[in-house]
């Protein structure tokens, strides 16, 4: 049976100093990859071009040519599913999945799971050794409730600040180096930089757990 990660992001409130769960502001990896796959198949572009165009659409950047202008201005907006429609329902309707989520990463990479929490693969170094199966003491009420709802189906709860992620050796590796040790580059080369847009690295953290 496979193991999946469930990950959310909390940001420290500068007024209350409490940690608050963030909403649907993240470019979810799987939904984004489905959009890129569609662009490659329908538009006849390369995968690298697909990611570049999708990021331009997300960031509101100007297109560089007529193909990008059409994809960014018409194709993606006209074929994007409603945010409440799950990706498989969007696919059944011939629509592009809504790529924003309150979960910044939902891939299944066991080497990454090992680096984050010593789960499934212990051949890699944990980012914070010894942080085993614990939610932060000051976890947000919302995530504490969600964890309780998972009950016995969830295990290996943990957390990492953005600062800890950025200080890790994995963040400093190249895409090729990460691929060579079997770690999904998307996590450290796309997701972690995206998190930096939301504030001080000490005031942003990921909270996560796993199920089988």
């Amino acid at each position: 049976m496979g193991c999946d990660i469930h990950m959310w992001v909390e940001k420290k409130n500068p007024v209350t100093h409490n940690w608050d769960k963030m909403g649907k502001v993240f470019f979810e990896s799987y939904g984004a990859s489905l959009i890129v796959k569609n662009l490659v198949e329908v538009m006849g572009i390369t995968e690298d071009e697909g990611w570049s165009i999708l990021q331009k659409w997300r960031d509101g950047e100007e297109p560089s040519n007529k193909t990008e202008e059409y994809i960014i201005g018409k194709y993606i907006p006209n074929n994007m599913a409603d945010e409440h429609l799950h990706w498989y329902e969007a696919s059944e309707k011939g629509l592009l999945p809504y790529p924003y989520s309150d979960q910044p990463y939902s891939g299944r990479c066991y080497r990454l799971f090992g680096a984050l929490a010593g789960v499934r693969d212990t051949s890699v170094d944990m980012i914070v050794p010894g942080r085993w199966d614990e939610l932060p003491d000051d976890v947000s009420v919302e995530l504490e409730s969600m964890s309780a709802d998972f009950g016995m189906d969830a295990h290996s709860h943990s957390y990492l600040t953005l600062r800890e992620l950025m200080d890790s050796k994995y963040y400093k590796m190249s895409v090729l180096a990460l691929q060579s040790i079997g770690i999904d580059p998307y996590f450290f080369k796309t997701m972690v930089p995206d998190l930096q847009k939301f504030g001080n690295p000490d005031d942003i953290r990921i909270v996560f757990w796993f199920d089988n």
Side-chain angles (χ1 to χ4, degrees):
M1 184 180 293
C3 177
D4 291 311
I5 193 169
H6 302 272
M7 179 185 297
W8 292 269
V9 179
E10 292 182 325
K11 182 175 181 178
K12 182 173 283 189
N13 188 309
V15 177
T16 65
H17 302 293
N18 294 327
W19 289 90
D20 298 329
K21 175 184 171 294
M22 297 184 67
K24 291 186 177 182
V25 295
F26 305 105
F27 220 16
E28 195 276 320
S29 57
Y30 187 65
S33 70
L34 291 179
I35 294 177
V36 170
K37 181 180 179 181
N38 178 278
L39 294 179
V40 170
E41 294 174 351
V42 175
M43 299 297 168
I45 59 178
T46 67
E47 186 173 341
D48 285 345
E49 289 171 332
W51 279 110
S52 175
I53 292 171
L54 188 58
Q55 288 169 349
K56 285 184 178 181
W57 170 79
R58 177 192 65 177
D59 298 335
E61 296 181 13
E62 290 295 320
S64 302
N65 52 54
K66 291 293 185 181
T67 298
E68 290 188 359
E69 184 178 340
Y70 172 73
I71 294 173
I72 292 172
K74 292 185 177 181
Y75 185 78
I76 293 179
N78 291 345
N79 291 279
M80 179 68 65
D82 179 85
E83 66 175 294
H84 302 295
L85 202 64
H86 194 276
W87 66 265
Y88 62 79
E89 295 175 305
S91 178
E92 290 176 350
K93 295 178 180 292
L95 298 172
L96 301 174
Y98 186 79
Y100 290 100
S101 172
D102 60 352
Q103 298 192 56
Y105 183 83
S106 59
R108 181 185 285 179
C109 175
Y110 290 161
R111 284 285 172 87
L112 175 62
F113 293 178
L116 294 176
V119 171
R120 283 285 176 151
D121 193 323
T122 57
S123 66
V124 293
D125 295 329
M126 287 179 64
I127 294 173
V128 178
R131 186 175 288 167
W132 299 102
D133 204 13
E134 57 179 297
L135 287 173
D137 293 335
D138 52 359
V139 68
S140 63
V141 173
E142 190 170 359
L143 284 185
E144 185 175 36
S145 175
M146 291 170 68
S147 174
D149 288 342
F150 267 77
M152 296 298 292
D153 290 333
H155 64 85
S156 306
H157 303 66
S158 195
Y159 64 97
L160 289 162
T161 67
L162 178 55
R163 177 78 65 192
E164 289 169 333
L165 292 171
M166 293 170 62
D167 286 345
S168 73
K169 66 178 182 180
Y170 304 110
Y171 179 69
K172 299 175 177 66
M173 289 182 177
S174 68
V175 169
L176 290 178
L178 289 168
Q179 290 174 331
S180 72
I181 62 173
I183 288 182
D184 184 359
Y186 182 93
F187 184 90
F188 288 102
K189 296 304 178 184
T190 299
M191 192 207 82
V192 172
D194 279 351
L195 292 181
Q196 295 172 33
K197 302 173 183 177
F198 295 103
N200 187 310
D202 295 314
D203 295 334
I204 304 290
R205 69 185 179 191
I206 57 172
V207 178
F208 52 92
W209 53 81
F210 304 83
D211 70 17
N212 293 321

